[in-house]
Amino acid sequence: MRLGTCLLLAILSGVTGLGLRVALPVTPVDASFRDVIRSYQPQGAAGASNMPETSAP
C-alpha cells in the first residue's frame, strides 16, 4: 500500500474509535463483579510474593 492510503486508514480508524467511545456509554461496574474481584485478592499479607526473585529480602 502507499503511504497516503496507510495514513488515511490510520486516521479513519482513529476517528471511528473516538466516535465509538463518545457514542457508547461506559458500563458501570456492578456489585457482583466487585465480589469476584474481591475474591481474587490475596487474603494474607499484602504484597507478598511466592516468587523468590520478587520477594522482599
Side-chain angles (χ1 to χ4, degrees):
M1 276 198 273
R2 296 189 335 233
L3 178 63
T5 306
C6 290
L7 288 174
L8 181 64
L9 287 173
I11 291 171
L12 284 175
S13 64
V15 169
T16 302
L18 286 174
L20 286 172
R21 177 71 175 108
V22 171
L24 299 175
V26 176
T27 305
V29 177
D30 58 352
S32 62
F33 181 75
R34 287 189 188 126
D35 291 338
V36 169
I37 296 299
R38 198 174 302 121
S39 70
Y40 279 102
Q41 290 178 344
Q43 301 298 324
S49 175
N50 62 351
M51 300 180 70
E53 58 271 2
T54 59
S55 298

